[in-house]
Amino acid sequence: MNENETPRAAELLTPEQLKQAAFDWGLTPYEYERILEGLGRQPTLTEIAMFSVEWCEHCGYPKSRNVLGMLPNTSASVEVLVGADSGGFYLTPDLAVVMKVESHNHPSQVEPYQGAATGVGGIIRDIFTCGARPVAAGNSLRFGSLSDPYTRHLLRGVVKGVGDYGNSIGVPTLAGEVSFNASYTGNCLVNAMAVGIAPTDRLLSAAARGAGNPVLYAGSRTGRDGIGGCSVLASHEFGEGEEKRPTVQIGDPFTEKRLIEACLEAATTGWIVAMKDMGAAGVTCTTSEMSAEGGMGMRIDLQRIPRRESGMQPYEVLMSESQERMLMVVARGHEDDVIRLFGRWELSAVVIGEVTDDGILTVLDGGEEVAALPAQFLTTPPRYDLPYERPAYLSEKWAYDLSAVPEPESYGEALLTLIGSPNLCSRQWVTEQYDHTVQANTVQGPGGDAGIIRVREAAPLGVAVTMDGSSRLVYLDPYEGARLLVAEAARNLACVGAEPKIVTDGLNFGNPDKPDRYYQFREAVRGIADACREFELAVISGNVSFYNESPEGPIHPTPIIGMLGVVPDVNRTASIGFRADGDRVILVGASGCPGSLAGSEYLAVLHGVEAGRPLSVSVSDEKRVQCVVRDMVRSGLAVTAHDLSEGGLAVALAECAIRGRRGARIRLPDVASAEALFGEAPSRVIATVAADRISEAAAQLATAGVPWVDLGEVGGDQLSIEGTLEVGVDELEARWEQTIPSVMSP
Amino acid sequence: MARARITIRLKPTVLDTQGAVVKTALHSLGFDGVLDVHMGKSIQLDLEAGVGRSEVEAMCRQLLANPVIEDFEIELTDGANA
Amino acid sequence: MARARITIRLKPTVLDTQGAVVKTALHSLGFDGVLDVHMGKSIQLDLEAGVGRSEVEAMCRQLLANPVIEDFEIELTDGANA
Amino acid sequence: MSALPPLNWGVVVFPGTNCEIETVYVLKELLGQDARTVWHRETDLSEFDGLILAGGFAHGDYLRAGAVARFSPVMDSISRFAADGGAVVGICNGFQVLVEAGLLPGAMLHNRSRRFLSRWVNLRAEASSSPLLSGLTPGEVFRVPAAHGEGCFFADPDVLAEMTANGQIAFRYCGEDGAVTDTANPNGSLECIAGVTNAGGNVLALMPHPERAAEAVLGGDDGRRILESIIRGARPRLARAA
Ligand SMILES: Nc1ncnc2c1ncn2[C@@H]1O[C@H](COP(=O)(O)OP(=O)(O)O)[C@@H](O)[C@H]1O
Ligand SMILES: [Mg+2]
């Protein structure tokens, strides 16, 4: 840009004051130098605000982008959709599926209800902004110990927030997880995921094109909500910047629902050149990123933006995170058509500027120019390769002697304790607050290994989704833990008969400026990347959340995997509950698994220990197991299937019994031990097969080259493991059901 | 017995989604004289004699109001200690 | 500008489940002096001068309260016509 | 069903309604009916044989569920449609709108747990005098999903007595065996009431979602039988005009 046209507002502050403002908004001295150098002049205050949000981790990913480059974003097995806000793939030549995860950790810790609600609102906008109808939602929630009253306050608020928002807009919640660990005390995690489906010819781009095309703002009015939320709130550890916490954002699902319908209708008209939702950094983010993506510029006037509050400064309008707002580039001449269309949905849409071909984002406030920045420069923050160092605790944790773990006095009691423990007990108190049948496509709701929806436009085709996180195993071994996580998510899909296709990842970590935390981050991403490559999965979208620390320390590193798979025929899926007396119960996968108590729930719950060196998963073994299980489910040979994860074999059997309301008589292949019952070795699934088809199953498993054992049969009202334990299914169910309700009531 | 009447309102800068809908509805019913609508909660507490304002304030801060987004107001009647 | 403050409460014959929940929660926080809790809504209307009580009553009857389950009370301030 | 000519259904959509797409789908694709959505600003309903107020959160359910929707332009036409004897069916949010509008007696309160509740429930068909339910046998049990936060039906004792005497109770929540007990009551509804009709029997509403239980692959098709009964019992517009 022309240096002589330095916007006037700059002259109001001295260079020193401007620099100070930049630091207050979270820019570093290095970054400030880059800005001066890139612009060749002093920035205005408004411009500094814009850089501070665009260059923060939440929008610009300066500290993670290099590492994220390891993730495979294509795969040989799917045609991946790139360019959209949330990535996806082509389910059929005519239908695209998009999916994304987003964190709302810090807002939820401050205000659980609104923080979680706006998290759902934001991720849903990411989906319909590309022309896709949201068809499924998921959420991964992590809190401190359930015995802490503040955890319960957060849990109550977050679950209600997730539920109220998703329920109102009519998107079924099908997958997710809730777990408790002391490391989240003071910093809960709320990751929301959404899946959408679009006819391929209605997919919308987010790239501004066509100089002279009008730029429209639609939806709610702008207030001072969450100003600088992404740069300030998400870039500080809790405790260190309490007074910097800006006002929280408030969600309005009623407006969002109308926005969904209006935007999807608009997507059918051909009038929309590009669309993007205003999430973090609102107007700044949408105008600059849409411009940059299209290689264009924009000229907008802030005075035309509908406001909810008076006296807002230009930087406030630009940084506001008011919810339920969209930005659109419309084909010239159709602005009134679009405004009328939104009007029919009782929403306002206004022209706030136009696309330019100079590559400059020019911001006017009435007559006055308050910013003029090259869009490309504004959206390209410096990237950092931060120092990293293997955390000191790892060697100590790995040295933990698993052979010294005493056997429990009673295996039955141990099972009851585990099944009633906060991380393994029933999630019904949570999932019942989420509508999971709306849209009338839900083949399997929450509570199984994966949620399944029918795709009505392509019936009997369906998609299955799962959302899994790992923290203890990643804490104990960031690389192997992350690989185990990807394997588990894929296994969940295999158990319902789905073939995994795409991944979205939510990466929740501590302060990246601390080398041990950055090590966790790098290694976990490397683990996800390697595992996804081995599974031929494309990571099509994701989210990074750093600075998850409280005065007590960092959270356990917590990557979350959202994975989606294809079910060719929704009439051929499996669920986990035992179905019929006499069915054979088989364990697919290895039985004796030395070392599998490392990092297990058993160790944590019964011995209060988080230690050991997690096993390494062999992806080729894992794939063989998953493949044969998937085939058996699809052919109907496997009547039920359930993957083994936290709590190991005994807990998995108990879950099958509880959900099927019938017992089983089991004989273990090896000597009973805590390791055999509760070890968490990967690549294992329990399936049931009709007794008269067991030889068919045996043949198929042999052909697949997968180890397996016949454990016994379904029947009776006890879960009995010969010579080891015998527990009534009613008693298991009672212990499993009561844990959360008993502490959450009233 | 004493009684406390607590009124809880969203802070003025916080978006009042309900108020906006109710205002539109009142206008559509022809009540054009309504300039603005603010939705809030009203909680009435029946209290043992001797429960004073400071205790009611503690209830508001700890449970009844959400200090991040709400303000509260307390009125005491019938001989509650001020 | 006039202002009306409307308090809407469940009729005594309707079970106040929220009040019961809040009461238990207050007790569990140690506020034992709470005998009973009644939850209601408080709606504040900013009104053009000249809007009187009868009009606000009409708003309550038509929209703001549901006469099957709720009672309402109106307080007018700042020079609204009585 | 195939013997009868299809009826034409209007599925009423307020801003915030969210079950209209599947309701139209079930009517058209599974039950062979004609159906289209009706935006809440439409007032001419003369083309329809019956109306369904679909589930969702009309106007965000702000203030009270259904309170604001009651003043939508379409509501006067719905009242006239009902007064003419046309079938008007409210599902979930539609139930809330119909009680707020006074087309059905009673009122709706928040669930007793104060939590939204999404769960498959069992419904027992009651001895109803409504033609819309004449295809059901009293005592028959239907398993269908429920998903609501404000589904606790309330009516004054005299109103309830009158409704009961008139055969206006359509469904009650029950156990798998049909027993109406407190434990089967998901939301604290008065006398486990899950569905009611007006005195004329042509306005019917229920909280659970029969349209979500119309196909075995989705977990059950009991809801389909409820919808089929409604379709058979609706008085087509030609019959009403005559
Ligand atoms: N917050 C939540 N939202 C939706 N579904 C959930 C949530 N938490 C748990 N679930 C569901 O409960 C079931 C059990 O969860 P989990 O034990 O984490 O399963 P797994 O170990 O097989 O991944 C899954 O179907 C999961 O989708
Ligand atoms: Mg699983």
Side-chain angles (χ1 to χ4, degrees), chain A residues 139 175-178 427 430-431 434 446-449 468 488 492 643 645:
Chain A
N139 60 105
E177 46 157 26
V178 190
R427 267 73 188 115
V430 174
T431 56
Y434 304 153
D449 281 340
D468 294 277
E488 185 191 337
N492 277 323
D643 82 300
S645 58

Side-chain angles (χ1 to χ4, degrees), chain A residues 110-111 248 250-252 308-309, chain B residues 13-15 17 21 66 68-69:
Chain A
V110 176
E111 207 318 272
V248 292
I250 304 290
D252 181 7
R308 207 177 71 232
E309 294 178 56
Chain B
T13 54
V14 172
L15 175 67
T17 52
V21 167
N66 177 347
V68 180
I69 51 175

Side-chain angles (χ1 to χ4, degrees), chain A residues 29 50 100 141 251 530 537 603 672 678 746:
Chain A
M50 293 167 75
K100 190 165 188 277
L141 315 177
D530 284 358
L537 291 167
L603 270 193
F678 306 118

Side-chain angles (χ1 to χ4, degrees), chain A residues 136-161:
Chain A
N139 60 105
S140 165
L141 315 177
R142 286 175 183 256
F143 304 96
S145 157
L146 184 59
S147 58
D148 174 357
Y150 197 71
T151 289
R152 302 202 288 265
H153 163 74
L154 290 174
L155 177 64
R156 186 176 285 115
V158 164
V159 170
K160 190 166 167 51

Side-chain angles (χ1 to χ4, degrees), chain A residues 137-142 159 162 173-179 423-428 430-431 434 444-451 465-469 488-489 492 576 642-646 655 659 736:
Chain A
N139 60 105
S140 165
L141 315 177
R142 286 175 183 256
V159 170
V162 168
T173 298
L174 296 184
E177 46 157 26
V178 190
S179 84
N423 286 341
L424 299 178
C425 67
S426 168
R427 267 73 188 115
Q428 197 173 336
V430 174
T431 56
Y434 304 153
Q444 193 167 132
D449 281 340
V465 282
T466 179
M467 202 170 175
D468 294 277
E488 185 191 337
N492 277 323
I576 75 177
H642 185 23
D643 82 300
L644 268 59
S645 58
E646 284 127 323
E655 288 168 346
R659 300 300 301 282
W736 180 71

